[in-house]
Amino acid sequence: MSLTPPSMELSDSLESELSDDYESLVMDACQLLSETDAQFIMSGFGQDEWPVNVSYDLSSVIEQLPSAMESLRQGRPAEIDLYGQGIERRLTFTTSNDITEIRCVSGTGWRPDPEVECVPHAEALALLAGLAGDFGAALRRAAPELARRTPFATW
């Protein structure tokens, strides 16, 4: 999972239009990023490039990212559900003995091969933290006002 930041800032000020609700803020941010040349990339489980987009799929991942990161940090199972029509995949993260098992379950005709990938726990945390960092960098580039909002300012 990664997000390539846009090449330029959006020209309109949008501070007055933003919600304080986290999910709404994420949807607004992803909609804004979709109007740039930012690119959301996911791969793995036998597919080099997943059919994901910035406006909807990235939004669904970012909405779930803080709780998934917190669960993984505490050694509890975590989940990221890409519920958008056409992608419909769920990633579950389970850690045991410093190894995190990432399982991919498809809700479409596509089947992951392999269904499970195992990585060091630190690498699983770095994957999610890296996406948060990418998202923060993309917002700082495209919409600095939005990037100053919680929790994005710490990403």
Side-chain angles (χ1 to χ4, degrees), residues 99-122:
I99 297 294
T100 298
E101 175 186 283
I102 307 170
R103 179 175 300 277
C104 180
V105 176
S106 174
T108 67
W110 174 80
R111 293 293 168 244
D113 183 20
E115 291 181 12
V116 175
E117 295 186 7
C118 294
V119 298
H121 183 64

Side-chain angles (χ1 to χ4, degrees), residues 56-126:
Y56 195 84
D57 300 316
L58 178 62
S59 177
S60 68
V61 171
I62 297 297
E63 285 173 14
Q64 300 166 74
L65 195 58
S67 64
M69 289 171 58
E70 183 61 26
S71 291
L72 266 185
R73 280 189 201 110
Q74 294 179 2
R76 293 182 292 133
E79 182 177 285
I80 294 182
D81 189 6
L82 288 107
Y83 46 77
Q85 185 174 0
I87 186 74
E88 301 167 58
R89 299 174 191 183
R90 185 173 47 258
L91 300 173
T92 56
F93 300 76
T94 308
T95 302
S96 178
N97 299 325
D98 287 330
I99 297 294
T100 298
E101 175 186 283
I102 307 170
R103 179 175 300 277
C104 180
V105 176
S106 174
T108 67
W110 174 80
R111 293 293 168 244
D113 183 20
E115 291 181 12
V116 175
E117 295 186 7
C118 294
V119 298
H121 183 64
E123 190 176 315
L125 283 170

Side-chain angles (χ1 to χ4, degrees), residues 127-139:
L127 173 73
L128 298 183
L131 181 59
D134 290 349
F135 192 75
L139 287 181

